[in-house]
Amino acid sequence: MSQLQDSFGRRFHYLRMSVTDVCNFKCTYCLPDGYRPDGKPTFLTLNEIENLVAGFGDVGTQKIRITGGEPTLRKDFTDIVRIVADNPNINTVAMTTNGYRLQQHAKEWYDAGLRRINVSVDSLDPKMFYQITGENKFDQVMRGIDAALEAGFERVKINAVLLKGLNDKDLPRFLHWIKNTPIDLRFIELMETGLGRDYFNAHHLAGVDIKKQLEREGWLYDLPDVDDGPAQNFSHTDYKGRIGLIMPYAKNFCASCNRLRVSAKGKLHLCLFTENGVDLRDLLQDASQRDELISRLHGQLAQKKETHFLHQGITGVTQHLASIGG
């Protein structure tokens, strides 16, 4: 089957697959009031996930990131990892997590086929961590990161949303941490969502300002790998760790887009923002629907816009990032 491609020539070989929108943290930039279910959850079943992964694998998807909410809240999370890893077309199996179950299960998930982990750690100050996440689990999360490194994961990344007036003074502490620790540290620029305009206006910190600071301190830009996401990565000869910047407000951010998203309820999202999503679930019930699923995917890619509209303050229907996996 032909590779998924949009009308602007962008090829899509990276899928972010949400398996739940439930989260047990209350991060101020995402779910400040905690998770509030919209009716009875009907998340994708293992059979539906298997058919989804197979369909995307047939159209050139090489990397799948399992997301949430908090994906490890699903009791069958290890089975989900195994389904993705067992597909011969998928070369990279990754996940994003808040890390609260990592210490106990890192080796189990590695043995199931998981190879890359992103852990959200918005501050290395336990008090600030608690203020941002609403959970006093800093030590538990840090032990989980150590467990992931010991389990042999080929790449462990730390995600941090830098927030003006909150954790924006943490940059030196983060840099000190990765000087002798072989992890990738990613700073994510705060994005405005439907529920967060006031928060965005109060705490947005431009990613380009962080980039200029890193360049002044000798950090050098690394050319991206084919399955990398939108981060601009930097390395330094004096540091074992690397830094990535995700700057959605930077010029030409969308030009290298290579990812698609499927929500925990089976909707295809061509962009994190701006559109309602297209239901795929009716075509995930049986492997015999594969050709029809692939046809729908190709048809939808023709509708993908050239860019998001965040610069104009248009956030679309995305109320918070947990709803479609961030």
Side-chain angles (χ1 to χ4, degrees):
M1 295 290 181
S2 60
Q3 169 92 49
L4 288 177
Q5 182 173 323
D6 68 8
S7 56
F8 303 97
R10 296 174 295 195
R11 293 176 176 268
F12 297 85
H13 40 73
Y14 178 8
L15 173 66
R16 293 181 64 99
M17 180 181 69
S18 177
V19 295
T20 180
D21 61 17
V22 181
C23 189
N24 58 328
F25 278 28
K26 299 181 285 292
C27 296
T28 55
Y29 54 83
C30 186
L31 291 172
D33 299 320
Y35 173 71
R36 296 185 177 185
D38 181 16
K40 185 178 180 180
T42 53
F43 304 131
L44 291 173
T45 66
L46 292 178
N47 176 66
E48 290 169 332
I49 289 172
E50 185 172 11
N51 289 325
L52 177 72
V53 170
F56 271 90
D58 281 353
V59 290
T61 298
Q62 300 172 22
K63 176 180 178 180
I64 291 182
R65 177 173 298 280
I66 306 168
T67 70
E70 172 48 45
T72 65
L73 288 175
R74 281 192 57 150
K75 295 179 180 178
D76 56 0
F77 178 74
T78 302
D79 295 323
I80 294 172
V81 171
R82 193 171 290 113
I83 285 172
V84 179
D86 285 348
N87 187 291
N89 293 316
I90 307 303
N91 300 326
T92 304
V93 186
M95 82 154 170
T96 298
T97 176
N98 60 29
Y100 94 107
R101 293 186 68 201
L102 197 51
Q103 182 181 7
Q104 292 78 15
H105 298 280
K107 185 64 166 61
E108 173 189 335
W109 297 335
Y110 182 88
D111 290 343
L114 192 66
R115 287 297 177 267
R116 297 185 182 183
I117 292 182
N118 286 30
V119 186
S120 297
V121 182
D122 290 311
S123 179
L124 296 179
D125 176 355
K127 291 182 179 179
M128 181 57 66
F129 180 93
Y130 175 70
Q131 183 176 340
I132 294 174
T133 66
E135 295 291 335
N136 189 21
K137 290 185 168 68
F138 175 78
D139 291 338
Q140 181 177 338
V141 171
M142 297 304 287
R143 289 194 298 270
I145 293 170
D146 290 338
L149 291 170
E150 292 169 5
F153 281 91
E154 63 187 43
R155 184 169 295 177
V156 177
K157 293 183 179 179
I158 304 303
N159 291 348
V161 180
L162 287 187
L163 305 164
K164 183 172 65 177
L166 291 174
N167 63 353
D168 53 335
K169 301 296 189 296
D170 270 18
L171 183 58
R173 190 179 300 196
F174 275 116
L175 293 179
H176 178 74
W177 183 35
I178 67 171
K179 191 172 183 65
N180 297 301
T181 307
I183 59 175
D184 287 3
L185 179 60
R186 301 199 320 168
F187 294 124
I188 303 171
E189 186 173 355
L190 181 66
M191 293 170 274
E192 183 180 347
T193 59
L195 294 177
R197 178 158 295 177
D198 291 342
Y199 189 93
F200 177 82
N201 290 335
H203 297 296
H204 177 248
L205 180 65
V208 292
D209 293 339
I210 303 299
K211 180 179 179 180
K212 291 176 182 176
Q213 181 175 343
L214 293 174
E215 290 174 336
R216 286 194 300 268
E217 297 180 10
W219 289 84
L220 301 176
Y221 176 70
D222 296 331
L223 293 176
D225 294 329
V226 66
D227 68 345
D228 279 350
Q232 294 185 32
N233 294 309
F234 298 82
S235 59
H236 195 296
T237 54
D238 296 336
Y239 289 77
K240 288 186 177 180
R242 296 194 309 168
I243 293 179
L245 300 178
I246 296 182
M247 302 178 289
Y249 294 90
K251 185 179 180 181
N252 298 325
F253 176 77
C254 298
S256 60
C257 183
N258 63 359
R259 63 178 56 189
L260 298 169
R261 292 171 170 81
V262 172
S263 75
K265 297 181 181 179
K267 281 193 172 185
L268 171 69
H269 291 267
L270 303 175
C271 180
L272 183 56
F273 299 94
T274 75
E275 37 84 25
N276 289 286
V278 176
D279 196 14
L280 302 178
R281 200 163 196 173
D282 59 310
L283 300 180
L284 301 178
Q285 304 311 305
D286 191 87
S288 65
Q289 299 174 292
R290 182 86 49 81
D291 289 346
E292 193 176 353
L293 171 64
I294 289 172
S295 178
R296 185 174 295 177
L297 292 176
H298 278 294
Q300 289 304 312
L301 261 293
Q303 311 301 317
K304 184 169 172 61
K305 306 297 184 183
E306 186 175 12
T307 182
H308 59 57
F309 299 97
L310 290 176
H311 295 89
Q312 292 98 310
I314 300 172
T315 61
V317 299
T318 303
Q319 296 299 293
H320 53 74
L321 299 180
S323 62
I324 56 173

